Amino acid sequence: MAERLTAIVVGGGIAGLASAVSLAQAGWAVTVLERAPAFGEVGAGLAITRNGMSALEAIGVGETVGAAGHETVPAGFQDPGGRWLLRIPQHTGRAHGHHDLGHSPATPALRPPAGG
Ligand SMILES: Cc1cc2nc3c(=O)[nH]c(=O)nc-3n(C[C@H](O)[C@H](O)[C@H](O)COP(=O)(O)OP(=O)(O)OC[C@H]3O[C@@H](n4cnc5c(N)ncnc54)[C@H](O)[C@@H]3O)c2cc1C
């Protein structure tokens, strides 16, 4: 029987947790080491761009993260006269991202349940 691959991920931020989830889904035994004594809320909000949501969807937590926030409206930059200088494309018909007032809707979705 093939030996199970093991990985140690240092840091339980979104990069570490996303890596840990991806490795676990690929069958690795993963240990996450986080120096902070507890996960708490940091800051006031988090905007996740479309590519970020795609990455979260790819590892199976997109729906959970999406439900924690709301879709942003199309955005861009206007000059003082209201002329659009840059508009974020709307051609995909998909949300551009999510924004959540409680900080970091992403990382709780990536964490294992208590005791997991
Ligand atoms: C004010 C602010 C607002 C932001 N807003 C947004 C936003 O709206 N949207 C967005 O996409 N990005 C935003 N960012 C950027 C985003 O927060 C970072 O890109 C993202 O958090 C990086 O994730 P990470 O996992 O690489 O690092 P971090 O989130 O920094 O996580 C690293 C983790 O590793 C732990 N760690 C470090 N060293 C060790 C060690 N030696 N042993 C154990 N644990 C260790 C740390 O405690 C930490 O938990 C913002 C950043 C700031 C500062």
Side-chain angles (χ1 to χ4, degrees), residues 88-94 96:
I88 294 175
Q90 300 171 48
H91 64 274
T92 61
R94 304 178 75 187
H96 301 296

PDB file of all heavy atoms in Angstrom, residues 88-94 96:
ATOM      1  N   ILE A  88     -14.871  48.205 -14.911  1.00  0.00           N
ATOM      2  CA  ILE A  88     -14.542  46.793 -14.755  1.00  0.00           C
ATOM      3  C   ILE A  88     -15.502  46.019 -15.657  1.00  0.00           C
ATOM      4  O   ILE A  88     -16.718  46.222 -15.597  1.00  0.00           O
ATOM      5  CB  ILE A  88     -14.659  46.377 -13.276  1.00  0.00           C
ATOM      6  CG1 ILE A  88     -13.583  47.123 -12.476  1.00  0.00           C
ATOM      7  CG2 ILE A  88     -14.502  44.874 -13.122  1.00  0.00           C
ATOM      8  CD1 ILE A  88     -13.662  46.911 -10.991  1.00  0.00           C
ATOM      9  N   PRO A  89     -14.979  45.181 -16.521  1.00  0.00           N
ATOM     10  CA  PRO A  89     -15.817  44.524 -17.525  1.00  0.00           C
ATOM     11  C   PRO A  89     -16.970  43.754 -16.894  1.00  0.00           C
ATOM     12  O   PRO A  89     -16.844  43.169 -15.837  1.00  0.00           O
ATOM     13  CB  PRO A  89     -14.844  43.563 -18.211  1.00  0.00           C
ATOM     14  CG  PRO A  89     -13.502  44.110 -17.943  1.00  0.00           C
ATOM     15  CD  PRO A  89     -13.585  44.789 -16.607  1.00  0.00           C
ATOM     16  N   GLN A  90     -18.081  43.774 -17.594  1.00  0.00           N
ATOM     17  CA  GLN A  90     -19.261  43.072 -17.109  1.00  0.00           C
ATOM     18  C   GLN A  90     -19.618  41.917 -18.033  1.00  0.00           C
ATOM     19  O   GLN A  90     -20.663  41.319 -17.893  1.00  0.00           O
ATOM     20  CB  GLN A  90     -20.449  44.037 -17.035  1.00  0.00           C
ATOM     21  CG  GLN A  90     -20.209  45.216 -16.114  1.00  0.00           C
ATOM     22  CD  GLN A  90     -21.318  46.234 -16.241  1.00  0.00           C
ATOM     23  OE1 GLN A  90     -22.486  45.887 -16.198  1.00  0.00           O
ATOM     24  NE2 GLN A  90     -20.954  47.482 -16.431  1.00  0.00           N
ATOM     25  N   HIS A  91     -18.714  41.612 -18.964  1.00  0.00           N
ATOM     26  CA  HIS A  91     -19.089  40.663 -20.000  1.00  0.00           C
ATOM     27  C   HIS A  91     -19.271  39.243 -19.517  1.00  0.00           C
ATOM     28  O   HIS A  91     -19.871  38.429 -20.190  1.00  0.00           O
ATOM     29  CB  HIS A  91     -18.057  40.693 -21.139  1.00  0.00           C
ATOM     30  CG  HIS A  91     -16.690  40.253 -20.694  1.00  0.00           C
ATOM     31  ND1 HIS A  91     -15.800  41.134 -20.135  1.00  0.00           N
ATOM     32  CD2 HIS A  91     -16.090  39.052 -20.704  1.00  0.00           C
ATOM     33  CE1 HIS A  91     -14.686  40.478 -19.824  1.00  0.00           C
ATOM     34  NE2 HIS A  91     -14.845  39.227 -20.158  1.00  0.00           N
ATOM     35  N   THR A  92     -18.729  38.910 -18.331  1.00  0.00           N
ATOM     36  CA  THR A  92     -18.846  37.516 -17.891  1.00  0.00           C
ATOM     37  C   THR A  92     -20.243  37.219 -17.378  1.00  0.00           C
ATOM     38  O   THR A  92     -20.641  36.063 -17.308  1.00  0.00           O
ATOM     39  CB  THR A  92     -17.863  37.200 -16.752  1.00  0.00           C
ATOM     40  OG1 THR A  92     -18.173  38.049 -15.656  1.00  0.00           O
ATOM     41  CG2 THR A  92     -16.425  37.429 -17.177  1.00  0.00           C
ATOM     42  N   GLY A  93     -20.969  38.264 -16.984  1.00  0.00           N
ATOM     43  CA  GLY A  93     -22.285  38.020 -16.410  1.00  0.00           C
ATOM     44  C   GLY A  93     -22.203  37.437 -15.018  1.00  0.00           C
ATOM     45  O   GLY A  93     -23.185  37.014 -14.443  1.00  0.00           O
ATOM     46  N   ARG A  94     -21.016  37.378 -14.463  1.00  0.00           N
ATOM     47  CA  ARG A  94     -20.845  36.823 -13.121  1.00  0.00           C
ATOM     48  C   ARG A  94     -20.451  37.945 -12.176  1.00  0.00           C
ATOM     49  O   ARG A  94     -20.031  39.010 -12.593  1.00  0.00           O
ATOM     50  CB  ARG A  94     -19.774  35.735 -13.124  1.00  0.00           C
ATOM     51  CG  ARG A  94     -20.070  34.642 -14.128  1.00  0.00           C
ATOM     52  CD  ARG A  94     -18.980  33.623 -14.145  1.00  0.00           C
ATOM     53  NE  ARG A  94     -19.049  32.753 -12.975  1.00  0.00           N
ATOM     54  CZ  ARG A  94     -18.110  31.861 -12.685  1.00  0.00           C
ATOM     55  NH1 ARG A  94     -17.062  31.744 -13.447  1.00  0.00           N
ATOM     56  NH2 ARG A  94     -18.235  31.098 -11.625  1.00  0.00           N
ATOM     57  N   HIS A  96     -18.388  40.217  -9.717  1.00  0.00           N
ATOM     58  CA  HIS A  96     -16.983  40.612  -9.743  1.00  0.00           C
ATOM     59  C   HIS A  96     -16.280  40.207  -8.466  1.00  0.00           C
ATOM     60  O   HIS A  96     -15.084  40.098  -8.406  1.00  0.00           O
ATOM     61  CB  HIS A  96     -16.876  42.128  -9.932  1.00  0.00           C
ATOM     62  CG  HIS A  96     -17.517  42.575 -11.198  1.00  0.00           C
ATOM     63  ND1 HIS A  96     -17.067  42.184 -12.420  1.00  0.00           N
ATOM     64  CD2 HIS A  96     -18.602  43.346 -11.414  1.00  0.00           C
ATOM     65  CE1 HIS A  96     -17.846  42.721 -13.367  1.00  0.00           C
ATOM     66  NE2 HIS A  96     -18.780  43.415 -12.773  1.00  0.00           N
TER      67      HIS A  96
END
